[in-house]
Amino acid sequence: DSEDEEEPEPLQFDPLVFSRVEFDSALNQAGRHMEDSILAAYTALLLGILSKHNHDCVDHIQQAMPSKSFSEMLSDMKKFLSFMSIAGLTAAETGLDPIRHIVHYLEQL
């Protein structure tokens, strides 16, 4: 029976939708954006851990933020958690619980 089944055709690039240059450019931009987003989330996590373990740093970190709050950091970490959830990765597989813990901590400040 499996001999009668046809192999699905591989996806083809459609030049009527995008030129190859436009497609490659968009893909590169998406990759850079993802790298920037991951870097921002991990930086926020490190600053959150520092804040949690050294309460003297909380005010200094908040004052260094554009909004003088942790809102940008929380946004970056929540986007990262959402991405990991959409990707189908569980907290047990990825160790996301510490990130959630820091998000909860920063929301309380």
Side-chain angles (χ1 to χ4, degrees):
D1 291 314
S2 63
E3 293 174 14
D4 296 335
E5 293 179 20
E6 290 184 30
E7 291 283 324
E9 290 186 33
L11 294 176
Q12 297 291 324
F13 174 73
D14 185 352
L16 297 176
V17 177
F18 293 106
S19 74
R20 187 60 164 182
V21 171
E22 290 172 323
F23 179 80
D24 289 345
S25 176
L27 191 60
N28 286 335
Q29 286 178 342
R32 282 192 302 276
H33 181 264
M34 179 56 76
E35 289 171 6
D36 291 345
S37 296
I38 291 171
L39 181 61
Y42 277 110
T43 300
L45 177 62
L46 290 172
L47 291 172
I49 292 168
L50 178 63
S51 297
K52 187 172 188 309
H53 293 287
N54 186 344
H55 297 289
D56 295 335
C57 292
V58 172
D59 289 334
H60 295 293
I61 293 171
Q62 279 184 315
Q63 291 306 309
M65 294 292 120
S67 67
K68 306 294 184 219
S69 73
F70 290 116
S71 61
E72 292 93 353
M73 290 172 46
L74 285 164
S75 176
D76 291 337
M77 286 189 285
K78 287 178 179 180
K79 286 177 190 174
F80 179 75
L81 288 170
S82 292
F83 169 76
M84 296 303 277
S85 176
I86 290 169
L89 301 172
T90 65
E93 294 170 330
T94 58
L96 295 177
D97 286 337
I99 299 172
R100 288 188 184 102
H101 181 75
I102 294 298
V103 166
H104 179 73
Y105 169 75
L106 292 175
E107 287 175 331
Q108 303 306 310
L109 294 179

